[in-house]
Amino acid sequence: PGVLFWDTVLRESPTQYNGMEVQGVNVCGEIPMEPYGACNLGSINLAAFVRDSFTERADLDWNGLSEAVRHAVRFLDNVIDVGAPRHALRDQRRASVRSRRVGLGILGIADCFAALNLVYGSGPSLSVLDRLMAAIKETAYEESIRLAEEKGPFPAFDPVRHLESPYIQRLPEPIRNGIRAKGLRNCALLAVAP
């Protein structure tokens, strides 16, 4: 069971324009989408990035994590092109390519905390989680900007409308400037499965 605050979804969504307005969610409820929308999901196993596990020197491989996020964003973007012709309905094919929505998430957080000698849910673990998720978010957006520069932004992209989203407005200024100047390859980038 879970709770979804639809007013928050609508207020925070960066895709409330050009036919991408969210009207429902995927089967598990973690991805608000437009009608016929598709979202390719992938997760990064955070436990795989702990160095010197269970020792006093335990720490995260921040550079390795950043590289994995960049590869994952590119991989998920490529899946859109491979998968689009395989959608059962024409409207699904069109929606998937128009918004290029992807959902990069995480798994293995409890194992990651254990390997870092952190108690799950403790103040120190929540501080690490905040830093982790900020790094993942910022790296994913930076990579989508790079992809937009290489391959073009998603077809429904409108920089003015996208930058109006309260969520996007909270991104660091260099990322917002990159979105404004080069666009985004993907209308949405992150998702954490329930």
Side-chain angles (χ1 to χ4, degrees):
V3 176
L4 183 67
F5 296 99
W6 196 247
D7 57 332
T8 303
V9 169
L10 295 178
R11 182 178 60 250
E12 295 288 321
S13 173
T15 62
Q16 292 302 96
Y17 66 91
N18 284 351
M20 297 181 296
E21 294 83 355
V22 296
Q23 293 185 14
V25 294
N26 68 331
V27 177
C28 293
E30 73 267 31
I31 308 294
M33 292 185 289
E34 69 275 22
Y36 299 99
C39 188
N40 296 298
L41 303 175
S43 294
I44 292 179
N45 181 358
L46 297 176
F49 295 93
V50 179
R51 288 189 273 180
D52 298 321
S53 299
F54 305 104
T55 70
E56 293 295 319
R57 297 180 318 276
D59 195 10
L60 287 163
D61 176 4
W62 292 97
N63 291 332
L65 177 63
S66 177
E67 184 178 347
V69 170
R70 291 184 193 289
H71 287 298
V73 169
R74 286 180 175 272
F75 174 81
L76 291 170
D77 185 68
N78 287 336
V79 169
I80 294 167
D81 296 323
V82 171
R86 293 168 172 81
H87 287 293
L89 302 175
R90 183 185 72 237
D91 289 340
Q92 290 172 313
R93 291 189 292 274
R94 191 176 309 141
S96 72
V97 172
R98 227 174 143 258
S99 65
R100 304 192 69 81
R101 186 182 302 272
V102 299
L104 179 60
I106 61 167
L107 56 85
I109 191 67
D111 292 333
C112 175
F113 286 162
L116 290 170
N117 303 307
L118 295 172
V119 175
Y120 187 94
S122 67
S125 76
L126 296 178
S127 293
V128 168
L129 184 60
D130 283 345
R131 185 175 169 207
L132 263 168
M133 296 310 292
I136 291 168
K137 172 184 66 180
E138 292 170 18
T139 302
Y141 272 88
E142 289 166 357
E143 198 61 25
S144 188
I145 292 166
R146 281 190 190 99
L147 278 167
E149 186 174 27
E150 291 171 25
K151 300 179 179 184
F154 65 91
F157 180 67
D158 177 331
V160 173
R161 297 293 307 273
H162 212 81
L163 288 160
E164 289 174 350
S165 161
Y167 173 78
I168 299 296
Q169 290 176 13
R170 287 192 303 274
L171 292 172
E173 186 176 354
I175 292 174
R176 292 192 320 272
N177 290 339
I179 293 170
R180 188 176 294 108
K182 299 172 184 168
L184 279 173
R185 181 69 173 164
N186 315 94
C187 77
L189 286 153
L190 306 169
V192 178

